[in-house]
Amino acid sequence: MPNVQTATLAVLRALRMTTIFGNPGSTELPLLRDLPADFRYILGLQESVVLGMADGYAQGTGRAALVNLHATAGTGHALGNLFTAWKNQTPLVVTAGQQARSILPFEPFLFAEQATEFPRPFVKWAIEPARAEDVPAAIARAYIVAMQPPRGPTFVSIPVDDWDRPCEPVHIPQAGATNPGDPALLAQAAQVLARARQPVLVVGAGVARDGGWTRVIALAERHQAPVWVAPFSARCSFPEDHPLFAGFLDPRREAIVAALTPHDVIVALGGPLSLYHVEGDGPHLPPGATTVFIADNPAQVSWAPCDLAVVADADHALAALLVGPEPAPRTAIAPRAAAAAPDRAILTDRLVFDHLAALRPAGSIVVEEAPTARGPMHDHLPITVPDTFYTCASGGLGHGLPASVGMALARPDRRVIAVLGDGSAMYAIQGLWSAGQLGLPISFIILNNRRYEALRGFGRLFGMHSVAGTDLSGIDFCGLATAQGIPAQKVGEPDGVGPALRWSFAQTGPTLVEMMIV
């Protein structure tokens, strides 16, 4: 009879979870004993890096990734990026070691007293199996739950002495993973859209997650409807060079209403359009407009201000909207005005993005975590190809650098460009080591303005002339990269941007370019 370890490895192999992301501790070691040759262990030097790498890998492959953490301490280190995975709707199966069952009553060293409660509410399901032989079935269920919409992380706590216990093989049931939505409600939404005088679409990350890129373009063109990107969308769901692309909604109530006021019908797909960053006043949406909200997350549907809400996979919903009634003829929309060219005499984030847009390899993937530079990126680095842009949906820091490592593992045929602020990069800088050890094709671009500029901007909103704890001067990113085995260049003048990027993109492995922006 096989033991729990062999039965679990069989489950993982059947589910194609043969890549394990971890930073091993004592309570996880029996899982790794004589690991078969078809499994690989991806080492991160801290658990938040481990979780971020797994998040990028799961988004890149479209399948749940396996994370192996160490008891309470390791799970605690990973919680920030677990929160981000929850907001990203990334499918993950997170396992954590637990002390041996026989000594749990004695509160042993490195045990988890409430193992399944600790990661909540940022997991969809959590369990510490009642019996050792239930571990493989628990992991199979965790995978199925993680992949069910809305996708997200799950958690299994496993006592260290479970792995060697006898265990029968486990049957894995097949389970559906999409929700086509209520046909009657989608038909009603299609009728509302067809009757509109001036409709508008607002697209969130769910359109990209559900593969709705082609259909959302067709829907916009059919109705001559401009397309806005929802606030804080973590994916690109519509080509940003399309004539109907309207721009990015500001995450303020008044700004959202102002942008959408010309329209009598608003169709929001794949994520909330009322995601605010600061408090506001007045209505959430333009008075008199009819709003349809479609997403696969029932929680979002429950609080989104709208007139008609449908829980559905975005691509299925788009297919239903495309077979709705023919719209009345509408006037073509004027294209969005292009952003002014950056000043070529000053090294700014705008100049860096302008060069990136011109020089980036075809099909390259941008993973971004530079909050202050998001606006300039929108203006000067348009994303025009599906599944080539990823960022953090939670607003937390420390996700982008390791996520780029996971993305490069998932798509080794593409160049990954990690655009990182200096403050963001320092949350997970040891992720460079993993990229170097694996020889991954990643260009780390550090926008170094030597400060937490986003916080200084918020300080001005609160009438603060200076903000404590925002000075980051003195960090040598090239030195940090070189120490971890990654070649690096520093750029201090505008005319050095292009040559440094060309050098980086010409390499087969990871590189780092530190841009000393003003």
Side-chain angles (χ1 to χ4, degrees), residues 259-279:
L260 301 180
T261 287
H263 305 283
D264 61 326
V265 170
I266 303 162
V267 178
L269 292 147
L273 62 87
S274 52
L275 195 62
Y276 310 128
H277 197 189
V278 294
E279 172 176 48

Side-chain angles (χ1 to χ4, degrees), residues 15 18 34 57 79 147 191 195 225-226 256 258 295-296 310 366 398 407 433 466 475:
L15 295 172
T18 55
D34 299 323
Y57 184 78
L79 279 181
M147 290 293 289
Q191 291 175 356
R195 291 197 299 264
I256 292 171
D296 67 355
V310 187
V366 175
M407 185 62 65
W433 181 87
S466 63
I475 301 173

Side-chain angles (χ1 to χ4, degrees), residues 408-456:
L409 281 167
R411 300 185 189 171
D413 59 327
R414 305 285 191 95
R415 189 80 190 173
V416 173
I417 303 171
V419 179
L420 309 167
D422 50 345
S424 297
M426 287 305 297
Y427 275 72
I429 197 67
Q430 60 269 61
L432 294 176
W433 181 87
S434 298
Q437 292 294 306
L438 296 164
L440 297 172
I442 308 174
S443 296
F444 296 99
I445 311 298
I446 308 294
L447 302 177
N448 189 353
N449 60 11
R450 301 161 291 288
R451 59 189 178 270
Y452 283 127
E453 180 58 33
L455 285 180
R456 292 189 180 185

Side-chain angles (χ1 to χ4, degrees), residues 19-21 40-44 49 53 57 402 404-410 412 431-442 484-486 508-510:
T19 297
I20 305 173
F21 294 88
R40 62 176 175 174
Y41 189 91
I42 304 299
L43 174 62
V49 172
M53 290 194 300
Y57 184 78
S404 69
V405 176
M407 185 62 65
L409 281 167
L432 294 176
W433 181 87
S434 298
Q437 292 294 306
L438 296 164
L440 297 172
I442 308 174
Q484 298 181 75
I486 294 181
T508 57

Side-chain angles (χ1 to χ4, degrees), residues 378-393:
H378 289 161
D379 290 338
H380 298 284
L381 182 60
I383 307 299
T384 60
V385 177
D387 300 322
T388 58
F389 175 76
Y390 298 81
T391 190
C392 167

